[in-house]
Amino acid sequence: MSAAAADRGKWGSPLEFVLSCLSYAVGLGNVWRFPYLCYRNGGGAFLVPHTIMLFLAGLPLFFLELVVGQYSSLGPSEAFKMMAPLFQGLGLATLVVIILVTIYYHIIIAWTILYAVDSFKAELPWGSCAYDFNTENCFSQLEDLKCIASETTSDEWYEYHTTAPISESLVLGWNATLAENKEHPLMTFWNQSCHSVVSLCTSRGLVALPNNRTHCFNTTLSQNVTAASLHSLLGRVLSSEEYYSRFVLGAGYGADWEHWGGIQWRVLVCLLVAWIIAAICLVKGVASAGKVMYFTALYPYVVLFALLIRGATLEGAADGIFYYISPQWETLSKAAVWGDAASQVFYALGLGCGSLVTLSSYSNFHNNCHRDAVIVTIVNCLTSILAGFSIFAVLGFLAHHMGVSVPDVVQSGPGLAFVAYPEAVLHMPQPQLWAVMFFFMLFCLGLGSQIAGLESITTAIMDKWPKLRAHKALVGVGTCACCFIAGIPMCFEGGVYLFTLLDWNSAAWSILIIGIAETVLIGWVYGPNRFLENIAEMGMKLPWAVKMYWKSCWVVMSPLLLLGILIFSLYEFTPAYYGTYFFPQWVDGIGWLLGAVSVIPLPLMAMYRIYKRREKGMELLKPTEDWGPAHLREKIMNDSHKESKFNYLGHDNTACEFDVINSQGMNI
């Protein structure tokens, strides 16, 4: 290994690289984002566009980025520039995206730390309604179970119904069950204490049935009996949802875009701790980080399977799972659903952010990244589906006990995972232990993805200024410090609005444009045949049918599919909102600006290369002399004289081939 290569670092083994890709790709996007997108887009129907996008766009781009990084041993900023000078801005665009994502993504890690700390308390705070931040609408499933257990025999129900106006149909139904219902009244939890269902229904001019603790019924004499759920009548909000929205986020205290509210000091401290941990991991480098990946990549599956098993045993879980797997086909006609599927694939796999190019740039030149791409993509998809089963089982349980449909349990949004999963933990033996394990799992998932993103940023800096490699620790610490400062506004009571705006725009339509640019570069400029030859140089022998699959994806299917989704997504674009709060128009403008900043480097750097006139005509679309494997590039750079360079090329077939490839034009 050359000194330069040694300075840059290498993975200790091919397995470490696979695990690092798994740790990066299998992250919070699977556990946090995928379930809420299914929740928002009709359950099982979302799996159809998601699967199509995964294999026609996600996997081809994933493999493409791994090849670029491994073949060149460079980060995206330098690699794409050398492949075609006109596409110099592509690497910078991916850098802007990963910077924006890294800043707001770390807030989620801060939340997991806050939850983990509170998990050590004798009573898990999201399971109770007895805190200052709770409202009278707070509903605790644990407290409700205590109310049910306190039910005693009483004549209240009988006395009430001797005078209440009721319909004949209701009377017939009640008479058939009176002998089996001796314990009255039915009790439920509301406004910090237990109340009888009878009294709650009466206060709203309705009546209660003897076997129904979740609904009230109309008191008219008509045969058309209607029911209303207590959940909607009382405006109930799960205690876990209030803990997340009011305590963790500080939302609900009147903050908006005009009044940002006070700072959430606990979140700020957790954010600082999260960035300190990230900085320590970054300073250690890929050689040390690879060892940690053995744990961070595998441990989450233990917890996910445990939560799935527990969730499946809860009463009503089947309803949630049925909603999850039952496709609502009418949603497939909405472009927004396909746009969400595309953004989720890009988000979950980490495409268009430069991180995969960076990770693979530390791989051995002859590593089988084709195998790695297939394994990671399939495991990523299965992990998303597994997380969906876990979370919808819990939603089914909650819907059953609250007397509502699955979509009405909690608000659809990023906080879904911070409501449903913690609620599941409450119903497990030793809930504190499982809470610590779960939030440590989320922390591992988030940190694994973040380290890869931060490596992309620091690698881009050190590839641009190689002398900084001697000060890698300072570069890493400085990067983390800047990102921490940029994330401070999201620690205020109104910070969730900025978080939502970044999530809505930074990894949405702009990242589709980056994906289109990558496929155009490989499929139409650099050439798929030449790209497949580069793959063969690295020792990967692909069958003819597999080559045809990759070529058809890079040249036709991926760019056309992404272009179509981009057009329809922009046509039906919905401005960002949080819950019932819709952002002002000037905030929507900022959102568009955030998306535009991610793609502006593409045309700007193209015009810069044309203006500088370092390359003319077709030279802008051809690889530069520096493009190629690192070991050949270093040999050429180390030749002190032009004559000795040509002599060397004349006596080394591999180097001659490298020189000939660089002299060719477009090869499609």
Side-chain angles (χ1 to χ4, degrees), residues 444-465:
C444 291
L445 289 173
L447 189 63
S449 300
Q450 282 294 81
I451 295 304
L454 289 167
E455 282 286 354
S456 296
I457 300 172
T458 57
T459 297
I461 295 172
M462 291 183 290
D463 281 350
K464 180 64 176 178
W465 297 284

PDB file of all heavy atoms in Angstrom, residues 444-465:
ATOM      1  N   CYS A 444     -27.910   3.573  17.797  1.00  0.00           N
ATOM      2  CA  CYS A 444     -26.945   2.872  16.941  1.00  0.00           C
ATOM      3  C   CYS A 444     -27.288   3.048  15.471  1.00  0.00           C
ATOM      4  O   CYS A 444     -26.411   3.285  14.631  1.00  0.00           O
ATOM      5  CB  CYS A 444     -26.898   1.387  17.296  1.00  0.00           C
ATOM      6  SG  CYS A 444     -26.166   1.017  18.903  1.00  0.00           S
ATOM      7  N   LEU A 445     -28.576   2.920  15.145  1.00  0.00           N
ATOM      8  CA  LEU A 445     -29.002   3.092  13.761  1.00  0.00           C
ATOM      9  C   LEU A 445     -28.697   4.494  13.260  1.00  0.00           C
ATOM     10  O   LEU A 445     -28.180   4.679  12.144  1.00  0.00           O
ATOM     11  CB  LEU A 445     -30.500   2.811  13.637  1.00  0.00           C
ATOM     12  CG  LEU A 445     -30.958   1.357  13.777  1.00  0.00           C
ATOM     13  CD1 LEU A 445     -32.479   1.288  13.801  1.00  0.00           C
ATOM     14  CD2 LEU A 445     -30.416   0.503  12.648  1.00  0.00           C
ATOM     15  N   GLY A 446     -29.022   5.475  14.065  1.00  0.00           N
ATOM     16  CA  GLY A 446     -28.785   6.855  13.659  1.00  0.00           C
ATOM     17  C   GLY A 446     -27.315   7.182  13.554  1.00  0.00           C
ATOM     18  O   GLY A 446     -26.871   7.817  12.589  1.00  0.00           O
ATOM     19  N   LEU A 447     -26.525   6.735  14.528  1.00  0.00           N
ATOM     20  CA  LEU A 447     -25.098   7.051  14.525  1.00  0.00           C
ATOM     21  C   LEU A 447     -24.386   6.383  13.358  1.00  0.00           C
ATOM     22  O   LEU A 447     -23.497   6.978  12.738  1.00  0.00           O
ATOM     23  CB  LEU A 447     -24.473   6.615  15.848  1.00  0.00           C
ATOM     24  CG  LEU A 447     -23.022   7.065  16.078  1.00  0.00           C
ATOM     25  CD1 LEU A 447     -22.952   8.590  16.133  1.00  0.00           C
ATOM     26  CD2 LEU A 447     -22.478   6.463  17.365  1.00  0.00           C
ATOM     27  N   GLY A 448     -24.778   5.131  13.045  1.00  0.00           N
ATOM     28  CA  GLY A 448     -24.152   4.445  11.915  1.00  0.00           C
ATOM     29  C   GLY A 448     -24.346   5.193  10.611  1.00  0.00           C
ATOM     30  O   GLY A 448     -23.424   5.293   9.782  1.00  0.00           O
ATOM     31  N   SER A 449     -25.540   5.736  10.412  1.00  0.00           N
ATOM     32  CA  SER A 449     -25.803   6.518   9.205  1.00  0.00           C
ATOM     33  C   SER A 449     -25.056   7.847   9.230  1.00  0.00           C
ATOM     34  O   SER A 449     -24.532   8.303   8.205  1.00  0.00           O
ATOM     35  CB  SER A 449     -27.304   6.767   9.059  1.00  0.00           C
ATOM     36  OG  SER A 449     -28.010   5.551   8.956  1.00  0.00           O
ATOM     37  N   GLN A 450     -25.012   8.475  10.393  1.00  0.00           N
ATOM     38  CA  GLN A 450     -24.372   9.769  10.508  1.00  0.00           C
ATOM     39  C   GLN A 450     -22.866   9.700  10.267  1.00  0.00           C
ATOM     40  O   GLN A 450     -22.290  10.602   9.650  1.00  0.00           O
ATOM     41  CB  GLN A 450     -24.643  10.366  11.889  1.00  0.00           C
ATOM     42  CG  GLN A 450     -26.020  10.974  12.042  1.00  0.00           C
ATOM     43  CD  GLN A 450     -26.230  12.199  11.173  1.00  0.00           C
ATOM     44  OE1 GLN A 450     -26.511  12.083   9.981  1.00  0.00           O
ATOM     45  NE2 GLN A 450     -26.099  13.372  11.742  1.00  0.00           N
ATOM     46  N   ILE A 451     -22.224   8.660  10.765  1.00  0.00           N
ATOM     47  CA  ILE A 451     -20.774   8.545  10.587  1.00  0.00           C
ATOM     48  C   ILE A 451     -20.430   8.485   9.111  1.00  0.00           C
ATOM     49  O   ILE A 451     -19.465   9.113   8.653  1.00  0.00           O
ATOM     50  CB  ILE A 451     -20.235   7.307  11.326  1.00  0.00           C
ATOM     51  CG1 ILE A 451     -20.415   7.478  12.837  1.00  0.00           C
ATOM     52  CG2 ILE A 451     -18.768   7.073  10.994  1.00  0.00           C
ATOM     53  CD1 ILE A 451     -19.767   8.720  13.398  1.00  0.00           C
ATOM     54  N   ALA A 452     -21.230   7.736   8.345  1.00  0.00           N
ATOM     55  CA  ALA A 452     -20.990   7.663   6.901  1.00  0.00           C
ATOM     56  C   ALA A 452     -21.179   9.027   6.248  1.00  0.00           C
ATOM     57  O   ALA A 452     -20.397   9.425   5.369  1.00  0.00           O
ATOM     58  CB  ALA A 452     -21.923   6.640   6.272  1.00  0.00           C
ATOM     59  N   GLY A 453     -22.210   9.755   6.671  1.00  0.00           N
ATOM     60  CA  GLY A 453     -22.426  11.087   6.119  1.00  0.00           C
ATOM     61  C   GLY A 453     -21.308  12.043   6.467  1.00  0.00           C
ATOM     62  O   GLY A 453     -20.849  12.829   5.627  1.00  0.00           O
ATOM     63  N   LEU A 454     -20.853  11.994   7.706  1.00  0.00           N
ATOM     64  CA  LEU A 454     -19.751  12.860   8.131  1.00  0.00           C
ATOM     65  C   LEU A 454     -18.450  12.494   7.418  1.00  0.00           C
ATOM     66  O   LEU A 454     -17.637  13.374   7.099  1.00  0.00           O
ATOM     67  CB  LEU A 454     -19.577  12.761   9.645  1.00  0.00           C
ATOM     68  CG  LEU A 454     -20.686  13.423  10.474  1.00  0.00           C
ATOM     69  CD1 LEU A 454     -20.586  13.002  11.940  1.00  0.00           C
ATOM     70  CD2 LEU A 454     -20.616  14.939  10.361  1.00  0.00           C
ATOM     71  N   GLU A 455     -18.245  11.202   7.179  1.00  0.00           N
ATOM     72  CA  GLU A 455     -17.065  10.782   6.414  1.00  0.00           C
ATOM     73  C   GLU A 455     -17.093  11.386   5.015  1.00  0.00           C
ATOM     74  O   GLU A 455     -16.050  11.750   4.463  1.00  0.00           O
ATOM     75  CB  GLU A 455     -17.004   9.256   6.328  1.00  0.00           C
ATOM     76  CG  GLU A 455     -16.486   8.561   7.573  1.00  0.00           C
ATOM     77  CD  GLU A 455     -14.983   8.712   7.739  1.00  0.00           C
ATOM     78  OE1 GLU A 455     -14.334   9.261   6.832  1.00  0.00           O
ATOM     79  OE2 GLU A 455     -14.451   8.293   8.782  1.00  0.00           O
ATOM     80  N   SER A 456     -18.289  11.494   4.445  1.00  0.00           N
ATOM     81  CA  SER A 456     -18.405  12.102   3.109  1.00  0.00           C
ATOM     82  C   SER A 456     -17.960  13.557   3.138  1.00  0.00           C
ATOM     83  O   SER A 456     -17.259  14.025   2.230  1.00  0.00           O
ATOM     84  CB  SER A 456     -19.854  12.020   2.617  1.00  0.00           C
ATOM     85  OG  SER A 456     -20.249  10.694   2.451  1.00  0.00           O
ATOM     86  N   ILE A 457     -18.377  14.262   4.172  1.00  0.00           N
ATOM     87  CA  ILE A 457     -18.029  15.684   4.268  1.00  0.00           C
ATOM     88  C   ILE A 457     -16.533  15.865   4.482  1.00  0.00           C
ATOM     89  O   ILE A 457     -15.879  16.643   3.782  1.00  0.00           O
ATOM     90  CB  ILE A 457     -18.824  16.345   5.410  1.00  0.00           C
ATOM     91  CG1 ILE A 457     -20.332  16.235   5.151  1.00  0.00           C
ATOM     92  CG2 ILE A 457     -18.421  17.809   5.563  1.00  0.00           C
ATOM     93  CD1 ILE A 457     -21.196  16.680   6.315  1.00  0.00           C
ATOM     94  N   THR A 458     -15.980  15.133   5.457  1.00  0.00           N
ATOM     95  CA  THR A 458     -14.545  15.287   5.743  1.00  0.00           C
ATOM     96  C   THR A 458     -13.685  14.762   4.598  1.00  0.00           C
ATOM     97  O   THR A 458     -12.624  15.326   4.310  1.00  0.00           O
ATOM     98  CB  THR A 458     -14.180  14.551   7.039  1.00  0.00           C
ATOM     99  OG1 THR A 458     -14.544  13.165   6.943  1.00  0.00           O
ATOM    100  CG2 THR A 458     -14.902  15.170   8.223  1.00  0.00           C
ATOM    101  N   THR A 459     -14.132  13.694   3.935  1.00  0.00           N
ATOM    102  CA  THR A 459     -13.377  13.162   2.789  1.00  0.00           C
ATOM    103  C   THR A 459     -13.343  14.173   1.655  1.00  0.00           C
ATOM    104  O   THR A 459     -12.308  14.352   0.996  1.00  0.00           O
ATOM    105  CB  THR A 459     -13.995  11.841   2.302  1.00  0.00           C
ATOM    106  OG1 THR A 459     -13.897  10.869   3.342  1.00  0.00           O
ATOM    107  CG2 THR A 459     -13.267  11.320   1.071  1.00  0.00           C
ATOM    108  N   ALA A 460     -14.490  14.834   1.416  1.00  0.00           N
ATOM    109  CA  ALA A 460     -14.525  15.854   0.363  1.00  0.00           C
ATOM    110  C   ALA A 460     -13.544  16.982   0.676  1.00  0.00           C
ATOM    111  O   ALA A 460     -12.843  17.482  -0.221  1.00  0.00           O
ATOM    112  CB  ALA A 460     -15.942  16.409   0.226  1.00  0.00           C
ATOM    113  N   ILE A 461     -13.474  17.365   1.944  1.00  0.00           N
ATOM    114  CA  ILE A 461     -12.542  18.435   2.340  1.00  0.00           C
ATOM    115  C   ILE A 461     -11.098  17.994   2.141  1.00  0.00           C
ATOM    116  O   ILE A 461     -10.271  18.731   1.577  1.00  0.00           O
ATOM    117  CB  ILE A 461     -12.791  18.826   3.811  1.00  0.00           C
ATOM    118  CG1 ILE A 461     -14.186  19.447   3.965  1.00  0.00           C
ATOM    119  CG2 ILE A 461     -11.723  19.809   4.297  1.00  0.00           C
ATOM    120  CD1 ILE A 461     -14.588  19.695   5.405  1.00  0.00           C
ATOM    121  N   MET A 462     -10.775  16.772   2.571  1.00  0.00           N
ATOM    122  CA  MET A 462      -9.386  16.308   2.502  1.00  0.00           C
ATOM    123  C   MET A 462      -8.980  15.883   1.103  1.00  0.00           C
ATOM    124  O   MET A 462      -7.800  15.923   0.758  1.00  0.00           O
ATOM    125  CB  MET A 462      -9.176  15.167   3.501  1.00  0.00           C
ATOM    126  CG  MET A 462      -9.250  15.635   4.951  1.00  0.00           C
ATOM    127  SD  MET A 462      -8.924  14.351   6.163  1.00  0.00           S
ATOM    128  CE  MET A 462     -10.393  13.349   5.975  1.00  0.00           C
ATOM    129  N   ASP A 463      -9.935  15.464   0.269  1.00  0.00           N
ATOM    130  CA  ASP A 463      -9.611  15.186  -1.130  1.00  0.00           C
ATOM    131  C   ASP A 463      -9.312  16.479  -1.881  1.00  0.00           C
ATOM    132  O   ASP A 463      -8.492  16.505  -2.809  1.00  0.00           O
ATOM    133  CB  ASP A 463     -10.766  14.445  -1.809  1.00  0.00           C
ATOM    134  CG  ASP A 463     -10.779  12.957  -1.465  1.00  0.00           C
ATOM    135  OD1 ASP A 463      -9.798  12.486  -0.859  1.00  0.00           O
ATOM    136  OD2 ASP A 463     -11.771  12.273  -1.791  1.00  0.00           O
ATOM    137  N   LYS A 464      -9.992  17.552  -1.474  1.00  0.00           N
ATOM    138  CA  LYS A 464      -9.750  18.849  -2.106  1.00  0.00           C
ATOM    139  C   LYS A 464      -8.429  19.437  -1.636  1.00  0.00           C
ATOM    140  O   LYS A 464      -7.676  20.026  -2.428  1.00  0.00           O
ATOM    141  CB  LYS A 464     -10.917  19.799  -1.765  1.00  0.00           C
ATOM    142  CG  LYS A 464     -10.788  21.189  -2.372  1.00  0.00           C
ATOM    143  CD  LYS A 464     -10.828  21.140  -3.890  1.00  0.00           C
ATOM    144  CE  LYS A 464     -10.787  22.545  -4.488  1.00  0.00           C
ATOM    145  NZ  LYS A 464     -10.781  22.501  -5.966  1.00  0.00           N
ATOM    146  N   TRP A 465      -8.141  19.280  -0.345  1.00  0.00           N
ATOM    147  CA  TRP A 465      -6.888  19.786   0.213  1.00  0.00           C
ATOM    148  C   TRP A 465      -6.160  18.636   0.919  1.00  0.00           C
ATOM    149  O   TRP A 465      -6.294  18.453   2.136  1.00  0.00           O
ATOM    150  CB  TRP A 465      -7.166  20.922   1.200  1.00  0.00           C
ATOM    151  CG  TRP A 465      -7.815  22.101   0.552  1.00  0.00           C
ATOM    152  CD1 TRP A 465      -7.225  23.038  -0.250  1.00  0.00           C
ATOM    153  CD2 TRP A 465      -9.198  22.487   0.648  1.00  0.00           C
ATOM    154  NE1 TRP A 465      -8.146  23.977  -0.657  1.00  0.00           N
ATOM    155  CE2 TRP A 465      -9.367  23.664  -0.125  1.00  0.00           C
ATOM    156  CE3 TRP A 465     -10.304  21.962   1.306  1.00  0.00           C
ATOM    157  CZ2 TRP A 465     -10.595  24.299  -0.255  1.00  0.00           C
ATOM    158  CZ3 TRP A 465     -11.529  22.588   1.175  1.00  0.00           C
ATOM    159  CH2 TRP A 465     -11.664  23.746   0.404  1.00  0.00           C
TER     160      TRP A 465
END
